[in-house]
């Protein structure tokens, strides 16, 4: 059998015998848990930083699992004799998963174990060297133009997967599927999954990921944004789009090719036309902080009519940090210093022309509610959150429905229960008779904290779902010697805040 030159890209693997390969990987414990057990936490974490030395030291024994880790995760050659104990070698050679390299065998793609939502053993297939970026930027696959590289699972992928609302739905769209991570998750709870990408290689990798993981085949379509799906509508749209704001569309996997944050804006604005009533669109995004504009108002203006929206900014970078991050991602720091400086300068020129002072990163969730009084919230929240967060995000929209349909009078007739794992903290000088203020702190979901007054703390503390809010306020007014009418009049806004921020749960009558 002739050996393909390693300087050229071998043909992409065929998924024809994916089940046979999957059985072999599972039998060798080449799974997320199996690799963690073999490598240990330290070496396993080093892999996420693209550091391979600890894992090489942990895989010297030559067992089937050690051979697979070296082959697929470390992308080192493995002898034919050792690999025969772990894989159906002849099938893998015929289908293109392996190539000969002298007396040894090499992988043609990265195959990375990945744990599913329900503990399933899945595998993500991507280009060699592109499973994670690491500190030195993405790798290079033999013979593949770097503009067309297909990345594997990374922090953005897992973040979006954790944010996604996982209701059982009839249809889901993964827009910009890449290696198929979001389509794979959607396959567990959507009857029909459509996955699109502008890069034909990405669609092939998505097909490999789904086949190797034992998921149903998706409807794969090539094209940009919503063009491939025509007028089709979905119950769920998820997207980890190429959101990087760059002066040139150099890399398909990250640069959308539109100016500024126009790609993310366009995706948001066009999403409503492709959502069924009650459907969700969830995406990660970058957005510009432009001189003279409030970013919250700017992004709220993206939201299409008839949609509720929750926009969360997780971090902000100044324009120099942002340019340096993505120049490093592209490997430009390893390039000629003058060329690096020219690209850096071009990035800053672009930002200067558009009066951009910073770049925000976060997530956007839309729900097609059809309401003529949409709930739109844009907020900054850089603090730790509980993942997966999908159920909490859905709950936020349910709470908006409740608040929208309850005026102050109805709110006082409603009953509430203090949410699980909410604690009260009192802050003040040691020895003081009364605290300076009281804080309610939630240990679930967004893990928020909010100051409350004596009435708010007392109200939350006795909410067990048995009494209407108005009756509780009357009792508090009697204890504090306040006018119950005045207390009823000034408290609904505080109750609304506690409901919206998930400190209080409405109880159905």
């Amino acid at each position: 059998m002739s050996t393909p030159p390693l300087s050229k890209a071998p043909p992409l693997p065929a998924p024809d015998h994916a089940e046979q390969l999957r059985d072999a990987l599972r039998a060798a414990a080449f799974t997320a848990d199996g690799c963690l057990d073999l490598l240990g936490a330290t070496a396993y974490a080093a892999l996420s930083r693209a550091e391979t030395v600890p894992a090489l030291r942990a895989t010297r024994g030559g067992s089937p699992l050690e051979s697979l880790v070296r082959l697929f995760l470390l992308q080192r050659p493995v002898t034919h004799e050792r690999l025969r104990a772990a894989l159906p070698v002849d099938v893998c050679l015929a289908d293109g998963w392996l190539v000969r390299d002298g007396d040894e065998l090499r992988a043609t793609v990265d195959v990375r174990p990945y744990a599913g939502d329900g503990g399933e053993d899945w595998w993500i297939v991507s280009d060699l060297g592109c499973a994670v970026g690491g500190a030195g930027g993405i790798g290079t696959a033999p013979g593949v133009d770097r503009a067309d590289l297909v990345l594997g699972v990374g922090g953005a992928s897992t973040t979006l997967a954790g944010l996604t609302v996982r209701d059982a739905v009839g249809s889901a769209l993964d827009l910009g599927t890449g290696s198929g991570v979001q389509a794979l998750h959607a396959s567990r709870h959507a009857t029909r999954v459509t996955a699109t990408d502008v890069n034909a290689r990405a669609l092939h990798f998505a097909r490999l990921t789904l086949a190797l993981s034992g998921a149903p085949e998706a409807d794969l379509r090539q094209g940009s944004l919503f063009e491939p799906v025509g007028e089709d509508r979905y119950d769920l749209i998820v997207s980890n789009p190429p959101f990087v704001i760059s002066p040139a569309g150099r890399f398909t996997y990250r640069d959308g090719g539109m100016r500024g944050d126009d790609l993310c804006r366009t995706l948001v604005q066009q999403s409503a036309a492709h959502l069924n009533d009650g459907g969700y669109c969830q995406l990660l995004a970058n957005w510009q902080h432009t001189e003279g504009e409030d970013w919250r108002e700017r992004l709220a203006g993206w939201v299409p009519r008839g949609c509720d929206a929750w926009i969360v900014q997780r971090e902000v970078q100044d324009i120099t940090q942002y340019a340096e991050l993505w120049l490093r991602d592209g490997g430009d720091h390893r390039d000629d210093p003058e060329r690096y400086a020219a690209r850096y300068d071009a990035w800053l020129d672009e930002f200067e022309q558009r009066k951009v002072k910073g770049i925000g990163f976060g997530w956007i969730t839309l729900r097609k509610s059809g309401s003529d009084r949409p709930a739109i919230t844009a907020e900054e929240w850089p603090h730790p959150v509980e993942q997966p967060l999908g159920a909490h995000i859905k709950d936020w929209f349910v709470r908006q429905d409740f608040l929208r349909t309850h005026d102050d009078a109805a709110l006082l007739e409603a009953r509430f229960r203090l949410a699980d794992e909410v604690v009260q903290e009192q802050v003040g000088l040691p020895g003081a008779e009364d605290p300076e203020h009281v804080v309610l702190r939630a240990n679930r979901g967004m893990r928020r904290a909010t100051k409350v007054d004596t009435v708010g703390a007392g109200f939350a503390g006795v909410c067990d779902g048995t009494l209407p809010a108005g009756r509780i306020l009357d009792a508090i007014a009697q204890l504090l010697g306040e006018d119950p009418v005045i207390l009823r009049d000034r408290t609904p806004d505080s109750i609304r805040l506690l409901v919206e921020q998930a400190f209080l749960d409405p109880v159905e009558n």
Side-chain angles (χ1 to χ4, degrees), residues 2 256 425:
S2 61
E425 300 174 357

Side-chain angles (χ1 to χ4, degrees), residues 169 206 258:
V169 294
M258 296 185 182

Side-chain angles (χ1 to χ4, degrees), residues 191-257:
T191 303
R192 176 173 58 90
V193 176
T194 301
T196 69
D197 205 288
V198 70
N199 185 356
R201 295 185 78 252
L203 295 176
H204 189 91
F205 275 105
R207 179 178 287 110
L208 293 174
T209 290
L210 293 168
L212 190 58
S213 299
E217 186 171 344
D219 179 5
L220 303 175
R221 306 185 191 182
Q222 186 178 2
S224 178
L225 293 173
F226 291 103
E227 181 273 329
V229 301
E231 298 181 359
D232 292 353
R233 292 174 180 260
Y234 300 88
D235 301 312
L236 172 67
I237 299 171
V238 292
S239 183
N240 179 15
F243 53 66
V244 174
I245 299 170
S246 65
R250 293 174 60 202
F251 302 114
T252 304
Y253 73 88
R254 72 169 206 195
D255 303 317

Side-chain angles (χ1 to χ4, degrees), residues 339-417:
R339 188 179 302 172
Y340 173 85
R343 285 175 174 162
Y344 197 157
D345 201 42
W347 222 303
L348 297 186
D349 277 345
E350 177 80 8
F351 288 142
E352 183 177 347
Q353 292 170 14
R354 299 177 71 84
K355 298 182 179 181
V356 176
K357 301 301 181 183
I359 304 295
F361 168 79
W363 65 71
I364 300 174
T365 302
L366 307 177
R367 185 189 59 166
K368 191 171 183 179
S369 64
S371 174
D372 57 1
R373 293 188 296 127
I376 301 175
T377 296
E379 62 174 319
E380 186 166 13
W381 191 256
H383 311 294
V385 300
E386 178 188 32
Q387 279 281 36
L389 199 62
H392 183 82
I393 289 177
K394 176 189 174 182
D395 183 60
W396 186 90
F397 287 90
V398 172
R399 290 170 185 274
Q400 300 308 312
D401 287 338
F402 173 85
L403 294 172
R404 188 160 41 211
T405 56
H406 285 69
D407 60 16
D408 287 356
L411 201 68
L412 293 175
E413 290 297 319
R415 293 177 292 125
F416 302 94
R417 183 181 64 82

Side-chain angles (χ1 to χ4, degrees), residues 32-308:
D33 288 342
C35 290
L36 177 60
D37 290 342
L38 171 68
L39 299 177
T42 301
Y44 198 75
L47 278 179
S48 69
R49 305 189 299 271
E51 297 290 350
T52 59
V53 172
L56 284 168
R57 292 172 60 87
T59 54
R60 295 168 173 170
S63 70
L65 178 55
E66 289 168 309
S67 296
L68 292 176
V69 169
R70 284 187 168 242
L71 178 74
F72 287 124
L73 300 191
L74 307 180
Q75 288 150 25
R76 298 301 177 96
V78 179
T79 65
H80 188 286
E81 181 180 357
R82 283 190 172 179
L83 212 50
R84 284 178 57 192
L87 290 176
V89 170
D90 292 341
V91 170
C92 290
L93 283 168
D95 285 356
W97 296 92
L98 303 175
V99 293
R100 296 189 185 276
D101 183 9
D103 295 330
E104 298 176 310
L105 301 173
R106 285 184 178 271
T108 61
V109 291
D110 184 294
V111 176
R112 193 149 300 245
Y114 182 67
D117 299 321
E120 303 92 344
D121 292 325
W122 288 341
W123 293 269
I124 309 300
V125 187
S126 63
D127 269 315
L128 294 171
C130 297
V132 289
I138 62 168
T140 55
V144 181
D145 187 329
R146 294 189 74 206
D148 294 327
L149 289 171
V150 179
L151 273 62
V153 63
S157 301
T158 55
T159 295
L160 180 58
L163 297 173
T164 303
V165 175
R166 296 295 175 196
D167 287 350
V169 294
S171 57
L173 169 64
D174 177 10
L175 192 153
T177 189
S179 56
V181 178
Q182 307 308 323
L184 184 57
H185 280 279
S187 71
R188 291 193 66 247
H189 63 101
T191 303
R192 176 173 58 90
V193 176
T194 301
T196 69
D197 205 288
V198 70
N199 185 356
R201 295 185 78 252
L203 295 176
H204 189 91
F205 275 105
R207 179 178 287 110
L208 293 174
T209 290
L210 293 168
L212 190 58
S213 299
E217 186 171 344
D219 179 5
L220 303 175
R221 306 185 191 182
Q222 186 178 2
S224 178
L225 293 173
F226 291 103
E227 181 273 329
V229 301
E231 298 181 359
D232 292 353
R233 292 174 180 260
Y234 300 88
D235 301 312
L236 172 67
I237 299 171
V238 292
S239 183
N240 179 15
F243 53 66
V244 174
I245 299 170
S246 65
R250 293 174 60 202
F251 302 114
T252 304
Y253 73 88
R254 72 169 206 195
D255 303 317
M258 296 185 182
R259 292 202 70 190
D261 52 20
D262 285 353
L263 182 136
C264 292
R265 176 184 57 80
T266 301
L267 198 162
V268 169
Q269 291 178 336
Q270 294 181 356
S271 62
H274 298 277
L275 282 174
N276 291 323
D277 291 343
Y280 290 89
C281 174
Q282 299 187 262
L283 67 145
L284 303 182
N286 274 173
W287 46 78
Q288 298 170 158
H289 284 225
T290 306
E291 184 177 327
E293 290 186 274
D294 186 315
W295 72 269
R296 297 171 181 82
E297 294 179 3
R298 185 167 177 271
L299 266 67
W302 292 2
V303 178
R305 181 176 298 180
C307 288
D308 298 332

